[in-house]
Amino acid sequence: MGSTLGHKHFSNELGDSFLDDCFGIQPGMKLLNSQVFKVRTIHVLADMLENNCFLKCHQKPGKQASPQFKDILENYGKLQLAKKISKRTLQGKKIILVRFLNFLNKQGITGIEALTSDEVLSYLDTLKEYSSNTRSGIMYTVRDFLLFLHLEKHIKTPLNNLFPVIFTNKYERLPSYYLSEEIHKILCQIDRNTVIGRRDYLILLLAVQFGMRAGDIRQLKFKNIKLSRNTVELVQQKTKRFLQLPVTKELKYALADYLKNSRPNVDDPHIFIKSRSVHPKN
């Protein structure tokens, strides 16, 4: 451990020595879950050394489609974006299709033109353990992809016709909701005398009073708040629909309290700021 003591400046070599001396972690070794955060911390310091700023968290990239299917999946994605589908929805579709395509690869399909109904039905058979809603969501995506393959002449047979109707059991899982009294109790539990509490209270009000999605709340900007009209106006990320919502007195007071007493004094158009992303105004 002595090799990492007495240094005043960080270096990549020092970081590797620290991990080895203190935790027995060596470059290239397979990490336990308890070791991942320690290595990630050193990588963040290395980013700061090299780029003079903190980059995004070091996380493993998601699973990728087998090489023979990558171009087709990319073309499908471009077509979806042309249809104005949101990037987040497309990301979800790609996750489903990567699993489907990797299943085909394991079945020995070396080219999409060799796809037959046998492989599709075999894949659908693997979905039996999923809930009805999850299974139907996967099937909708796979069916749309199969239609794309046929229309683009990658396959001759319209395999999407294998399951023209997708059944879901709407009673399998009833939607959950909160009573007004329960919502009031939740809001009352927030300590609005703290920096985090004032922020969380405003976030919950936006969700409760407007039904705003988390992504829309996260991307909310000052330009979306029209105090002259007492409205919040935005285009939803998921649906691309324009919303104009009335600002209540309770929301207006919560917003003013957050901006005055909690929000970091930074030059950023977003209302909500990550604490680790704060760069004070000059």
Side-chain angles (χ1 to χ4, degrees), residues 54-233:
F54 293 116
L55 304 180
K56 290 186 176 181
C57 293
H58 291 264
Q59 297 177 339
K60 292 182 179 179
K63 289 186 177 180
Q64 303 296 310
S66 302
Q68 68 268 35
F69 303 129
K70 280 189 175 181
D71 289 343
I72 290 176
L73 183 59
E74 186 67 24
N75 291 335
Y76 174 78
K78 291 178 180 178
L79 180 62
Q80 295 299 301
L81 291 176
K83 293 180 178 179
K84 305 300 182 182
I85 189 174
S86 72
K87 290 184 178 180
R88 180 168 296 182
T89 300
L90 177 58
Q91 183 181 17
K93 285 176 172 279
K94 281 189 173 182
I95 290 173
I96 291 172
L97 293 176
V98 164
R99 292 172 184 163
F100 173 60
L101 293 171
N102 287 343
F103 173 84
L104 298 182
N105 182 59
K106 291 180 180 179
Q107 298 298 306
I109 302 298
T110 57
I112 203 67
E113 66 281 353
L115 180 62
T116 69
S117 59
D118 290 340
E119 290 80 31
V120 175
L121 293 175
S122 294
Y123 178 73
L124 296 181
D125 196 50
T126 67
L127 305 179
K128 289 182 178 179
E129 300 302 320
Y130 289 101
S131 69
S132 174
N133 287 339
T134 300
R135 186 169 59 251
S136 63
I138 295 173
M139 292 174 69
Y140 278 121
T141 298
V142 172
R143 186 176 67 180
D144 185 61
F145 182 65
L146 293 174
L147 176 61
F148 160 79
L149 293 178
H150 179 62
L151 293 177
E152 295 297 318
K153 303 187 185 306
H154 293 294
I155 56 176
K156 294 181 179 180
T157 305
L159 296 176
N160 53 293
N161 290 338
L162 287 172
F163 42 109
V165 179
I166 298 175
F167 295 98
T168 57
N169 182 1
K170 64 180 180 179
Y171 299 108
E172 182 177 73
R173 185 178 63 182
L174 295 176
S176 61
Y177 65 93
Y178 292 98
L179 299 174
S180 298
E181 295 80 6
E182 293 173 322
I183 293 174
H184 179 70
K185 288 180 180 179
I186 293 173
L187 291 173
C188 288
Q189 293 301 311
I190 300 175
D191 185 359
R192 296 167 64 186
N193 293 315
T194 66
V195 171
I196 299 299
R198 285 185 284 266
R199 181 203 65 186
D200 291 350
Y201 185 76
L202 177 58
I203 289 174
L204 279 179
L205 277 185
L206 290 169
V208 168
Q209 294 188 355
F210 292 159
M212 289 178 64
R213 295 183 176 91
D216 291 328
I217 294 176
R218 184 174 62 250
Q219 294 298 324
L220 197 64
K221 298 180 179 180
F222 287 103
K223 68 179 183 180
N224 299 127
I225 310 297
K226 310 294 184 181
L227 292 180
S228 60
R229 295 195 289 268
N230 280 328
T231 60
V232 174
E233 300 176 5

